[in-house]
Structures are given as C-alpha cells and as structure tokens.
C-alpha cells in the first residue's frame, strides 16, 4: 500500500478511536457540550510546521477530509481545533493545556511523537480527555498508566523492530554471523526502534554495530 494510504488509515482510525472514547470526558461537561446546537469539537495536535511539517500536513489533511465526510452525512457537526506542536514536547504541553481548557473539545487526535505523548498524557488524563496517536510507537506508552485515555492505531516498536529484523533475514540476505550496522538519527522514534531492531538481530546471531548521527549532519 502507498504511504498516503497508510496515513489515511491511521488518521481515520485515530478519529474513530476519539469518537468512541469521548465518554471519558466528565459527564456533566460532556452532556453540556453534546447539547450545543453548534456541534462539538475534536482537537488535533500535529507538527503542522517545522522540520516534520510534511508528516503533520498529511495527518491534518486526512483528518480534515474525514471531518468533511462526517459533517456531510450527519446532523451533529464536529469541528476540528488545530494545534501545531512542531514535534516539540514543550509546545505539545502548551497546546494540550489550551485544548484541555476548551469545554467544547471532546477528545484529541495526536500528538505525533512519543516524547509529546509522554508530555501531554498527564494533562489530558486530568481533564478527562481521550486522545489517540497515529504515529507514536514507544512501547511504554501503553503500559497501563493512561489506560482508558491514550490510544494508538499503529504497531509499537516491540512489534516493528522484530518485524524489521525478520525482513532483513528473509529478504535481504542477512544470516547468523552476518555483520549489520544499525543507525539512528537521535530522535525518539528512531532510537527506540533502532534499539529493538539491534536486539532482535543480535538474538538471531547477527553481529550488530550500533551507531547514532544527528539529523542535522550532512557529511557522512
């Protein structure tokens, strides 16, 4: 499937998770919100601008598409409240406070990064807001601390890492005794995934050289 298709599925699944989990909002506030003749709102945290803007733009556009389809077919209108995090946990925290204080917001799509989820989870849990990420993959995010509030619709690193290692051995000619270099770009997604890929390969008898570079490096 093309990348855009996977982004669409993740976006749709995140929206559906939020709609189904909106009951986590405190009942009195939810009842008042649901009775609003102007409809209800769902927040969205994404890196709309900045270095990861291309990822956030895809997530935002697919969410907008879903909302348009929903509003064309249902009496209850759902409004999208956009918040740009730039994939920065501190900006995610600030915008999470804004969403949590907005009584019309019933749930949140996002944020995109695992570090961002870690930063906003206490805020959303305190506010009783369910939130669903289509791209945060750190294994510990679903350890149970935010059960009933945080959801995701992508395989975590504990699934992706072994799958990547299996692919290398079944399709790329890697065998026990082979030497493989695993490189991360010092961002939270790549470091966690690279660690698990390396561990999976090592467990299969592969000699792993683990390296790390900055995204800002241009000379290799």
């Amino acid at each position: 499937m093309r990348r855009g298709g996977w982004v669409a599925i993740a976006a749709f699944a995140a929206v559906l998770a939020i709609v189904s989990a909106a009951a986590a909002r405190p009942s009195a506030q939810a009842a008042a919100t649901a009775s609003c003749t102007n409809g209800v709102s769902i927040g969205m945290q994404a890196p709309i601008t900045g270095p990861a803007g291309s990822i956030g733009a895809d997530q935002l556009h697919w969410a907008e598409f879903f909302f348009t389809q929903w509003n064309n077919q249902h009496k209850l209108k759902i409004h999208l409240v956009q918040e740009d995090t730039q994939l920065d946990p501190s900006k995610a925290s600030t915008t999470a406070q804004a969403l949590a204080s907005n009584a019309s917001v019933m749930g949140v799509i996002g944020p995109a990064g695992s570090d961002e989820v870690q930063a906003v989870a206490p805020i959303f849990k305190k506010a009783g807001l369910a939130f669903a990420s289509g791209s945060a993959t750190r294994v510990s995010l679903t350890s149970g601390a935010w059960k009933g509030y945080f959801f995701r619709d992508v395989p975590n690193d504990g699934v992706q890492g072994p799958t990547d290692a299996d692919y290398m051995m079944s399709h790329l000619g890697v065998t026990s005794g082979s030497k493989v270099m695993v490189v991360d770009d010092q961002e939270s997604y790549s470091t966690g995934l690279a660690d698990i890929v390396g561990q999976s390969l090592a467990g299969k008898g592969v000699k792993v050289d683990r390296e790390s570079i900055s995204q800002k490096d241009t000379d290799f």
Side-chain angles (χ1 to χ4, degrees), residues 113-129:
S114 294
D115 283 345
E116 292 179 300
V117 170
Q118 195 86 30
V120 306
I123 298 170
F124 288 149
K125 183 175 181 180
K126 182 178 181 180
L129 275 174

Side-chain angles (χ1 to χ4, degrees), residues 3 50 66 103 144 169 178-179 192 194 219:
R3 177 174 176 270
F66 180 90
M169 301 195 74
S178 296
K179 294 180 180 179
D219 186 355

Side-chain angles (χ1 to χ4, degrees), residues 4-213:
W6 286 116
V7 174
I9 291 172
F12 292 167
V15 173
L16 291 172
I18 286 302
V19 172
S20 64
R25 196 67 157 162
S27 57
Q29 187 176 34
T33 303
S35 65
C36 181
T37 57
N38 293 326
V40 297
S41 299
I42 292 180
M44 181 169 191
Q45 291 186 303
I48 301 170
T49 63
S54 61
I55 298 173
D58 273 348
Q59 294 176 336
L60 174 62
H61 293 158
W62 282 113
E64 290 174 330
F65 175 77
F66 180 90
F67 277 47
T68 298
Q69 298 300 304
W70 172 278
N71 289 335
N72 286 340
Q73 300 172 27
H74 297 82
K75 183 176 180 180
L76 176 65
K77 306 305 179 186
I78 304 180
H79 310 292
L80 181 65
V81 181
Q82 302 176 27
E83 294 290 356
D84 184 10
T85 68
Q86 297 185 351
L87 210 62
D88 182 337
S90 63
K91 289 184 174 61
S93 294
T94 300
T95 56
Q97 293 285 3
L99 292 170
S101 63
N102 186 338
S104 71
V105 173
M106 300 295 291
V108 180
I109 304 167
S114 294
D115 283 345
E116 292 179 300
V117 170
Q118 195 86 30
V120 306
I123 298 170
F124 288 149
K125 183 175 181 180
K126 182 178 181 180
L129 275 174
F131 64 113
S133 176
S135 52
T137 59
R138 183 177 298 162
V139 176
S140 61
L141 296 179
T142 45
S143 63
W146 305 308
K147 184 178 181 180
Y149 295 94
F150 173 64
F151 303 84
R152 57 178 161 203
D153 47 67
V154 289
N156 64 36
D157 293 339
V159 175
Q160 290 189 38
T163 301
D164 291 344
D166 288 343
Y167 184 86
M168 294 178 193
M169 301 195 74
S170 61
H171 291 81
L172 302 182
V174 176
T175 62
S176 178
S178 296
K179 294 180 180 179
V180 172
M181 177 182 289
V182 179
V183 185
D184 70 70
D185 66 357
Q186 298 180 4
E187 296 296 325
S188 60
Y189 171 65
S190 68
T191 53
L193 181 57
D195 285 342
I196 294 177
V197 171
Q199 292 166 8
S200 299
L201 289 172
K204 298 176 182 294
V206 177
K207 300 176 181 178
V208 178
D209 178 14
R210 188 72 170 79
E211 300 292 342
S212 180
I213 61 170

